[in-house]
Amino acid sequence: MPIATVNPANGETLKTYEAMGEEEIERRLQLAEATFRTYRTTSFTERARFLNRAAELLDDGGQDIARVMTTEMGKPVKQARAEAAKCAKAMRWYAEHAESLLADEEPAAYDVKDSGASRALVRYRPLGPVLAVMPWNFPLWQVVRFAAPALMAGNVGLLKHASNVPQTALFLEDLFHQAGFPEGCFQTLLVGSGAIDEILRDERVKAATLTGSEPAGRAVASTAGNMVKKTVLELGGSDPYIVMPSADIDRAAEIAVTARVQNNGQSCIAAKRFIVHTDVYDRFAERFVEGMKALKVGDPLEEDTEVGPLASEQGRADLEELVDDARRSGASVLCGGQRPDGPGWYYPPTVIADVTREMRIHREETFGPVATLYRADGLDEAVLIANDSPFGLSSNVWTRDEAEVDRFVRDLEAGGVYVNGMTASHPAFPFGGVKRSGYGRELSGHGIREFCNITTVWHGA
């Protein structure tokens, strides 16, 4: 895949870049290793000053980078601006909290005495250069939620971004450099996916994090495992959105629309499977379909656009295959389901009902504005449908019954359970999944400790 900005709204190639050669990659690896030796000794105060400055620069340039993201991968420009603001917020959060999150921990006095020590503690130390393999769908946020904690912990970053968002990737390198981080703290590697394996095998790279597809995650995990290196993987999701009779049905249907089509439906944590109790199914379905039909699809640079194009022609073709397979197998298409005429890689908001386990759309992730509707006779069946998926990233449940909430929290196989609302990431809360959605956590204290050497310090009596 070429390293290029191709506007998905019209298919026009705007910029192309040559992939870095072996000599440039080697130079950057040397720089990362050398920078880490000194950067690891900087204080939290100094790192926080750099990161707060990066947040200021991002606030100042949010409008410009938003337009770049929109022209590179098609998200509505209002959502792109919100993404930039969210990144600045996360930077400030880690600048404020990293020191306390990584403070030395003292075991209980009884355990210290029992071990024969005069004193003991646990200290978090940085690992070194960390390779981040990042996707195009949230081209700023996915990187910052790795980079902010990693840099505050004293690590340095090497970014291999998706090949269709090179301008965003270069912007990030420049942003951290302009903020005052020493040269080599954060570097972008403009390389194709074929270069990842060799870079990860390099002894100077100490760990890796990947957000992306399951095949990409398997490849990175396999190489890292062979080299005995730590990895964090955030892969696909097919999140359930469960609606029970006690819920505010109108509100649940309204939020369901946003939960499905955020980022043009190209989000791992977007709700994708809508599982509705049979007592309120018809009412929810009517309102949900009305909401999906009412969305404005159009030029993502226009302020009132709610759904823009998919990021690639192949992505649209993959989505069409899933919808067509479901239709041929007997599913009902309640709205959408047909590629529109004209330029760009658009696909309409679509709702599919009467889905069965044999359909591909039941098992595979729909990466675009396509929702599937399921009936459930009760809570037990809702949980069975929700868990009948290879993925387990997050989940949404709508109910006013606290006993039902407790059951869902206990039984849903997911990294998160969001009650009477839609899944959204926040720097204070851990983010990640189970099953084929990956392992490890980003954000919060859990995320910043993922790439630390957890060191026991023991003093004899």
Short mmCIF file of all heavy atoms in Angstrom, two decimals, residues 105-137:
data_model
loop_
_atom_site.label_atom_id
_atom_site.label_comp_id
_atom_site.label_asym_id
_atom_site.label_seq_id
_atom_site.Cartn_x
_atom_site.Cartn_y
_atom_site.Cartn_z
N GLU A 105 5.66 2.26 45.65
CA GLU A 105 4.66 1.60 46.49
C GLU A 105 5.36 0.87 47.63
O GLU A 105 6.36 0.16 47.41
CB GLU A 105 3.84 0.61 45.67
CG GLU A 105 3.03 1.26 44.56
CD GLU A 105 2.30 0.23 43.71
OE1 GLU A 105 2.39 -0.98 44.02
OE2 GLU A 105 1.65 0.64 42.73
N GLU A 106 4.86 1.04 48.83
CA GLU A 106 5.44 0.38 49.99
C GLU A 106 4.53 -0.77 50.43
O GLU A 106 3.35 -0.56 50.73
CB GLU A 106 5.62 1.37 51.14
CG GLU A 106 6.63 2.47 50.82
CD GLU A 106 6.91 3.35 52.03
OE1 GLU A 106 6.38 3.03 53.12
OE2 GLU A 106 7.65 4.32 51.88
N PRO A 107 5.04 -1.99 50.48
CA PRO A 107 4.23 -3.12 50.96
C PRO A 107 3.84 -2.93 52.42
O PRO A 107 4.41 -2.08 53.13
CB PRO A 107 5.17 -4.32 50.79
CG PRO A 107 6.20 -3.87 49.81
CD PRO A 107 6.37 -2.41 50.03
N ALA A 108 2.88 -3.71 52.86
CA ALA A 108 2.46 -3.63 54.26
C ALA A 108 3.64 -3.93 55.18
O ALA A 108 4.51 -4.76 54.87
CB ALA A 108 1.33 -4.64 54.50
N ALA A 109 3.68 -3.22 56.32
CA ALA A 109 4.79 -3.37 57.25
C ALA A 109 4.98 -4.82 57.69
O ALA A 109 6.11 -5.30 57.83
CB ALA A 109 4.56 -2.47 58.47
N TYR A 110 3.86 -5.54 57.87
CA TYR A 110 3.96 -6.95 58.28
C TYR A 110 4.71 -7.76 57.23
O TYR A 110 5.57 -8.59 57.55
CB TYR A 110 2.56 -7.53 58.49
CG TYR A 110 2.58 -9.02 58.70
CD1 TYR A 110 2.82 -9.58 59.94
CD2 TYR A 110 2.39 -9.89 57.61
CE1 TYR A 110 2.87 -10.96 60.13
CE2 TYR A 110 2.42 -11.27 57.78
CZ TYR A 110 2.66 -11.80 59.04
OH TYR A 110 2.71 -13.15 59.21
N ASP A 111 4.38 -7.53 55.95
CA ASP A 111 5.04 -8.29 54.89
C ASP A 111 6.50 -7.94 54.76
O ASP A 111 7.34 -8.80 54.45
CB ASP A 111 4.31 -8.06 53.56
CG ASP A 111 2.92 -8.66 53.56
OD1 ASP A 111 2.74 -9.73 54.16
OD2 ASP A 111 2.00 -8.05 52.97
N VAL A 112 6.84 -6.67 54.96
CA VAL A 112 8.25 -6.27 54.92
C VAL A 112 9.03 -7.00 56.00
O VAL A 112 10.09 -7.58 55.76
CB VAL A 112 8.38 -4.74 55.08
CG1 VAL A 112 9.85 -4.34 55.19
CG2 VAL A 112 7.73 -4.02 53.91
N LYS A 113 8.49 -6.99 57.21
CA LYS A 113 9.15 -7.67 58.33
C LYS A 113 9.25 -9.17 58.08
O LYS A 113 10.29 -9.80 58.34
CB LYS A 113 8.38 -7.39 59.61
CG LYS A 113 9.01 -8.00 60.85
CD LYS A 113 8.20 -7.66 62.09
CE LYS A 113 8.83 -8.30 63.34
NZ LYS A 113 8.04 -7.99 64.57
N ASP A 114 8.16 -9.75 57.56
CA ASP A 114 8.12 -11.18 57.31
C ASP A 114 9.15 -11.61 56.27
O ASP A 114 9.63 -12.74 56.29
CB ASP A 114 6.71 -11.58 56.85
CG ASP A 114 6.54 -13.08 56.75
OD1 ASP A 114 6.71 -13.76 57.78
OD2 ASP A 114 6.23 -13.56 55.65
N SER A 115 9.49 -10.71 55.34
CA SER A 115 10.47 -11.02 54.30
C SER A 115 11.90 -10.91 54.79
O SER A 115 12.84 -11.26 54.06
CB SER A 115 10.28 -10.08 53.10
OG SER A 115 10.79 -8.79 53.40
N GLY A 116 12.08 -10.41 56.01
CA GLY A 116 13.42 -10.23 56.55
C GLY A 116 14.07 -8.93 56.14
O GLY A 116 15.28 -8.74 56.34
N ALA A 117 13.29 -8.00 55.59
CA ALA A 117 13.83 -6.72 55.14
C ALA A 117 13.69 -5.65 56.21
O ALA A 117 12.81 -5.71 57.06
CB ALA A 117 13.11 -6.26 53.87
N SER A 118 14.59 -4.68 56.13
CA SER A 118 14.42 -3.49 56.96
C SER A 118 13.43 -2.53 56.30
O SER A 118 12.68 -1.84 56.98
CB SER A 118 15.77 -2.80 57.18
OG SER A 118 16.33 -2.40 55.93
N ARG A 119 13.42 -2.53 54.99
CA ARG A 119 12.43 -1.79 54.22
C ARG A 119 12.38 -2.35 52.81
O ARG A 119 13.32 -3.01 52.35
CB ARG A 119 12.71 -0.29 54.21
CG ARG A 119 14.02 0.13 53.59
CD ARG A 119 14.32 1.60 53.87
NE ARG A 119 15.58 2.04 53.30
CZ ARG A 119 15.71 2.66 52.13
NH1 ARG A 119 14.61 2.91 51.40
NH2 ARG A 119 16.88 3.04 51.67
N ALA A 120 11.28 -2.09 52.14
CA ALA A 120 11.10 -2.59 50.77
C ALA A 120 10.13 -1.68 50.04
O ALA A 120 9.31 -0.99 50.66
CB ALA A 120 10.58 -4.02 50.78
N LEU A 121 10.25 -1.66 48.72
CA LEU A 121 9.32 -0.87 47.91
C LEU A 121 9.24 -1.44 46.51
O LEU A 121 10.07 -2.26 46.10
CB LEU A 121 9.75 0.61 47.87
CG LEU A 121 11.14 0.95 47.34
CD1 LEU A 121 11.12 1.15 45.82
CD2 LEU A 121 11.66 2.23 47.99
N VAL A 122 8.23 -1.01 45.78
CA VAL A 122 8.07 -1.36 44.37
C VAL A 122 8.20 -0.07 43.57
O VAL A 122 7.54 0.93 43.88
CB VAL A 122 6.71 -2.01 44.10
CG1 VAL A 122 6.53 -2.25 42.60
CG2 VAL A 122 6.57 -3.31 44.88
N ARG A 123 9.07 -0.09 42.58
CA ARG A 123 9.32 1.12 41.78
C ARG A 123 9.02 0.81 40.31
O ARG A 123 9.32 -0.28 39.81
CB ARG A 123 10.76 1.58 41.94
CG ARG A 123 11.15 2.78 41.07
CD ARG A 123 12.41 3.44 41.57
NE ARG A 123 12.20 4.03 42.90
CZ ARG A 123 13.17 4.57 43.63
NH1 ARG A 123 14.43 4.57 43.19
NH2 ARG A 123 12.89 5.09 44.80
N TYR A 124 8.44 1.80 39.62
CA TYR A 124 8.13 1.67 38.19
C TYR A 124 9.19 2.41 37.38
O TYR A 124 9.38 3.62 37.53
CB TYR A 124 6.75 2.26 37.90
CG TYR A 124 5.62 1.51 38.58
CD1 TYR A 124 5.13 1.92 39.81
CD2 TYR A 124 5.07 0.38 37.98
CE1 TYR A 124 4.11 1.22 40.43
CE2 TYR A 124 4.04 -0.33 38.60
CZ TYR A 124 3.57 0.11 39.83
OH TYR A 124 2.55 -0.59 40.45
N ARG A 125 9.89 1.66 36.52
CA ARG A 125 10.95 2.24 35.70
C ARG A 125 10.62 2.05 34.22
O ARG A 125 10.04 1.03 33.84
CB ARG A 125 12.29 1.58 36.03
CG ARG A 125 12.73 1.80 37.48
CD ARG A 125 14.12 1.24 37.70
NE ARG A 125 14.14 -0.22 37.57
CZ ARG A 125 15.22 -0.92 37.25
NH1 ARG A 125 16.37 -0.30 36.97
NH2 ARG A 125 15.17 -2.23 37.16
N PRO A 126 11.00 2.99 33.37
CA PRO A 126 10.68 2.87 31.93
C PRO A 126 11.46 1.74 31.27
O PRO A 126 12.55 1.37 31.73
CB PRO A 126 11.08 4.23 31.37
CG PRO A 126 12.13 4.74 32.33
CD PRO A 126 11.72 4.24 33.68
N LEU A 127 10.88 1.22 30.19
CA LEU A 127 11.50 0.10 29.47
C LEU A 127 12.48 0.55 28.41
O LEU A 127 13.52 -0.07 28.20
CB LEU A 127 10.42 -0.75 28.80
CG LEU A 127 9.51 -1.59 29.71
CD1 LEU A 127 8.50 -2.35 28.86
CD2 LEU A 127 10.32 -2.55 30.56
N GLY A 128 12.13 1.61 27.66
CA GLY A 128 12.97 2.04 26.54
C GLY A 128 12.13 2.42 25.34
O GLY A 128 10.95 2.77 25.47
N PRO A 129 12.68 2.30 24.13
CA PRO A 129 11.91 2.62 22.92
C PRO A 129 10.75 1.63 22.73
O PRO A 129 10.92 0.42 22.79
CB PRO A 129 12.94 2.47 21.79
CG PRO A 129 14.25 2.71 22.46
CD PRO A 129 14.11 2.10 23.82
N VAL A 130 9.55 2.18 22.52
CA VAL A 130 8.35 1.37 22.32
C VAL A 130 7.82 1.65 20.91
O VAL A 130 7.63 2.80 20.52
CB VAL A 130 7.26 1.71 23.36
CG1 VAL A 130 6.01 0.87 23.12
CG2 VAL A 130 7.79 1.48 24.78
N LEU A 131 7.59 0.57 20.16
CA LEU A 131 7.03 0.69 18.80
C LEU A 131 5.51 0.71 18.87
O LEU A 131 4.90 -0.18 19.45
CB LEU A 131 7.50 -0.48 17.94
CG LEU A 131 6.89 -0.57 16.54
CD1 LEU A 131 7.33 0.61 15.68
CD2 LEU A 131 7.27 -1.90 15.87
N ALA A 132 4.90 1.73 18.28
CA ALA A 132 3.45 1.85 18.23
C ALA A 132 2.98 1.68 16.78
O ALA A 132 3.37 2.46 15.91
CB ALA A 132 2.99 3.20 18.76
N VAL A 133 2.18 0.65 16.53
CA VAL A 133 1.61 0.40 15.21
C VAL A 133 0.15 0.83 15.29
O VAL A 133 -0.66 0.18 15.95
CB VAL A 133 1.74 -1.07 14.81
CG1 VAL A 133 1.18 -1.29 13.40
CG2 VAL A 133 3.19 -1.53 14.90
N MET A 134 -0.19 1.92 14.62
CA MET A 134 -1.47 2.58 14.86
C MET A 134 -2.34 2.63 13.60
O MET A 134 -1.83 2.64 12.48
CB MET A 134 -1.22 4.00 15.37
CG MET A 134 -0.59 4.05 16.75
SD MET A 134 -1.73 3.55 18.07
CE MET A 134 -0.98 2.01 18.62
N PRO A 135 -3.67 2.70 13.78
CA PRO A 135 -4.62 2.68 12.67
C PRO A 135 -5.04 4.07 12.24
O PRO A 135 -4.72 5.08 12.89
CB PRO A 135 -5.81 1.93 13.28
CG PRO A 135 -5.83 2.43 14.69
CD PRO A 135 -4.39 2.64 15.08
N TRP A 136 -5.82 4.09 11.16
CA TRP A 136 -6.22 5.36 10.56
C TRP A 136 -7.51 5.93 11.13
O TRP A 136 -7.83 7.09 10.91
CB TRP A 136 -6.41 5.18 9.05
CG TRP A 136 -7.22 3.96 8.70
CD1 TRP A 136 -6.74 2.75 8.31
CD2 TRP A 136 -8.65 3.82 8.76
NE1 TRP A 136 -7.78 1.86 8.11
CE2 TRP A 136 -8.96 2.49 8.39
CE3 TRP A 136 -9.69 4.69 9.08
CZ2 TRP A 136 -10.26 2.02 8.34
CZ3 TRP A 136 -10.99 4.23 9.03
CH2 TRP A 136 -11.28 2.90 8.67
N ASN A 137 -8.31 5.13 11.85
CA ASN A 137 -9.68 5.59 12.13
C ASN A 137 -9.75 6.74 13.13
O ASN A 137 -10.60 7.62 13.02
CB ASN A 137 -10.58 4.42 12.56
CG ASN A 137 -10.08 3.67 13.77
OD1 ASN A 137 -8.88 3.67 14.07
ND2 ASN A 137 -10.97 3.03 14.47
#
